[in-house]
């Protein structure tokens, strides 16, 4: 059987995303109705979660999600496993993937995740790397479709032609937005401080028409359907904190930026957020913000993703 990994957003095709959005909506409805949905109960399936960086949402959403699906979870960190004592990642992959059915990894370089996947017998999911955060964008797009559905009912129609304003760092989230835009046919307006631009090659996109660069963050928000941002300093870059605070001072999503977006524009943030830095309290706690739905949806989309990687299409 062919193993499907989810290492970056473009590892799945548009039709697979259409299926996942519909399936996540079904799984979410079951959860809300307090009805069992346990495709992993018999035989019992196990997910290994490997964290080399901190997490709240990713840990809880994968762990709770796996139990809800009827499966089990093993939680590993660098500090409490041989990963932190220089056991080769290839050896770790060979051993762990003989004992579990799925692996989720949060680590530093994408290349490390790829080395693990190359030696894994089971599907591997990217739970965030320095370069990408595909599970988050999957949740963000699902949330956008949920709040702004297409008249046709097709989730891909809800996304096609939309404008997403990215205000902030040209980081793992920004790169993943660019991949999603290229695949699903929307546009990203990117505004980063000088020196923190997105890199199309690193983002792995081939068509630069999927995004437009703006030096002025407010100009990037003009006419946007969604305004989104992220921390100024991502995990692993803490040594740059002070320099970044100065460089990013104008890249705070505030009410003036939201005012030039479409009147029905949404605000998203993958969280954790720093009010007064990348977003004002008025915006993140305001009426256009859907950050709590966005966070919750991590669990529903990842349940659909895990089910798909292990069992394929069920409808
Ligand atoms: N958004 C996100 O991935 O959050 P955590 O770092 O808490 O997992
Ligand atoms: N860009 C952030 C996202 C955290 C969920 C980071 O990598 O730290």
């Amino acid at each position: 059987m062919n193993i499907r990994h989810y290492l970056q957003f473009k590892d799945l095709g548009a039709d697979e995303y259409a299926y996942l959005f519909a399936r996540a909506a079904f799984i979410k409805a079951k959860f809300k109705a307090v009805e069992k949905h346990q495709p992993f109960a018999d035989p019992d399936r196990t997910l290994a979660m490997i964290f080399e960086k901190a997490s709240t949402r990713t840990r809880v959403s994968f762990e709770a999600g796996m139990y809800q699906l009827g499966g089990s979870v093993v939680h590993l960190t660098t500090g409490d496993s041989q990963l932190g004592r220089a056991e080769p990642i290839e050896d770790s992959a060979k051993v762990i993937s003989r004992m579990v059915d799925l692996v989720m990894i949060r680590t530093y370089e994408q290349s490390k995740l790829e080395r693990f996947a190359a030696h894994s017998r089971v599907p591997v999911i990217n739970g965030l790397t320095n370069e990408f955060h595909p599970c988050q964008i999957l949740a963000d797009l699902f949330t956008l479709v949920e709040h702004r559905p297409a008249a046709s009912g097709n989730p891909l129609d809800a996304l096609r032609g939309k404008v997403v304003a990215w205000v902030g760092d040209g980081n793992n989230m920004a790169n993943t937005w660019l991949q999603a835009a290229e695949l699903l046919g929307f546009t990203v307006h990117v505004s980063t401080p000088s020196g923190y631009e997105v890199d199309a090659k690193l983002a792995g996109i081939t068509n630069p028409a999927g995004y437009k660069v703006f030096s002025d963050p407010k100009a990037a928000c003009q006419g946007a359907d969604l305004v989104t941002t992220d921390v100024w300093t991502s995990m692993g870059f803490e040594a740059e904190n002070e320099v970044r605070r100065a460089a990013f001072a104008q890249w705070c999503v505030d009410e003036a930026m939201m005012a030039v977006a479409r009147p029905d524009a949404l605000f998203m943030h993958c969280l954790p957020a720093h009010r007064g830095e990348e977003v004002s309290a008025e915006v993140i706690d305001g009426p256009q913000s859907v950050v709590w739905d966005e966070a919750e949806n991590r669990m529903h989309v990842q349940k659909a993703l895990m089910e798909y990687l292990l069992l394929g299409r069920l409808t």
Side-chain angles (χ1 to χ4, degrees):
M1 195 185 107
N2 266 354
I3 304 172
R4 294 292 301 275
H5 299 300
Y6 192 56
L7 307 184
Q8 45 185 307
F9 195 86
K10 65 182 179 184
D11 285 347
L12 295 178
D15 60 326
E16 292 177 302
Y17 281 108
Y19 169 76
L20 285 179
F21 294 137
R23 191 68 183 167
F26 167 80
I27 288 172
K28 181 171 182 175
K30 286 267 196 188
F31 175 80
K32 295 292 179 190
V34 201
E35 283 174 21
K36 275 192 182 186
H37 175 66
Q38 302 203 317
F40 292 166
D42 186 15
D44 179 74
R45 310 292 184 126
T46 305
L47 166 73
M49 305 190 299
I50 301 172
F51 284 98
E52 299 209 292
K53 292 176 176 170
S55 168
T56 296
R57 279 145 289 271
T58 304
R59 165 99 192 254
V60 177
S61 57
F62 270 105
E63 189 159 339
M66 192 61 186
Y67 283 124
Q68 289 164 22
L69 291 170
S72 322
V73 179
V74 176
H75 177 248
L76 292 167
T77 67
T78 313
D80 63 16
S81 69
Q82 301 291 3
L83 287 161
R85 298 180 63 253
E87 180 166 16
I89 195 84
E90 292 81 0
D91 293 1
S92 303
K94 286 177 192 167
V95 172
I96 293 167
S97 71
R98 279 178 180 242
M99 302 182 197
V100 303
D101 302 280
L102 272 170
V103 179
M104 188 287 304
I105 308 181
R106 167 167 288 195
T107 188
Y108 292 86
E109 298 80 19
Q110 182 76 9
S111 58
K112 199 169 175 184
L113 178 75
E114 284 166 1
R115 280 164 55 210
F116 190 105
H119 294 87
S120 173
R121 288 183 168 192
V122 301
V124 176
I125 298 171
N126 182 348
L128 181 146
T129 58
N130 289 351
E131 290 88 346
F132 299 114
H133 197 2
C135 290
Q136 183 67 55
I137 302 303
L138 180 60
D140 294 6
L141 293 173
F142 177 74
T143 308
L144 183 54
V145 171
E146 195 177 44
H147 281 267
R148 300 285 180 262
S152 66
N154 180 340
L156 300 185
D157 289 342
L159 298 172
R160 204 172 294 116
K162 286 275 192 302
V163 173
V164 175
W166 176 263
V167 176
D169 193 13
N171 63 9
N172 43 11
M173 284 288 298
N175 289 338
T176 314
W177 271 115
L178 296 192
Q179 279 199 6
E182 183 169 87
L183 189 72
L184 301 176
F186 59 89
T187 305
V188 186
H189 287 182
V190 182
S191 180
T192 70
S194 164
Y196 299 93
E197 292 85 357
V198 287
D199 176 344
K201 194 159 175 275
L202 188 80
I205 57 164
T206 51
N207 177 13
Y211 74 100
K212 291 185 187 146
V213 174
F214 295 79
S215 51
D216 173 10
K218 197 171 168 190
C221 297
Q222 191 84 44
D225 298 280
L226 168 66
V227 177
T228 184
T229 185
D230 189 9
V231 291
W232 289 343
T233 305
S234 286
M235 291 180 280
F237 297 85
E238 289 81 1
E240 301 173 14
N241 210 9
E242 286 316 306
V243 177
R244 283 172 172 265
R245 284 168 86 90
F248 282 78
Q250 303 306 311
W251 276 262
C252 172
V253 177
D254 57 14
E255 286 173 306
M257 288 194 200
M258 292 306 295
V260 298
R262 281 176 55 102
D264 66 345
L266 300 173
F267 172 78
M268 290 189 200
H269 188 311
C270 63
L271 306 176
H274 301 84
R275 289 168 178 75
E277 292 190 8
E278 73 273 8
V279 61
S280 71
E282 290 74 19
V283 170
I284 194 168
D285 300 318
Q288 288 166 284
S289 173
V290 290
V291 296
W292 313 121
D293 288 343
E294 180 188 5
E296 178 191 324
N297 284 337
R298 285 288 303 277
M299 186 173 78
H300 307 304
V301 296
Q302 288 161 195
K303 285 169 75 176
L305 176 68
M306 291 192 287
E307 189 191 73
Y308 182 64
L309 294 179
L310 272 187
L311 306 178
R313 279 181 201 244
L314 299 181
T315 53

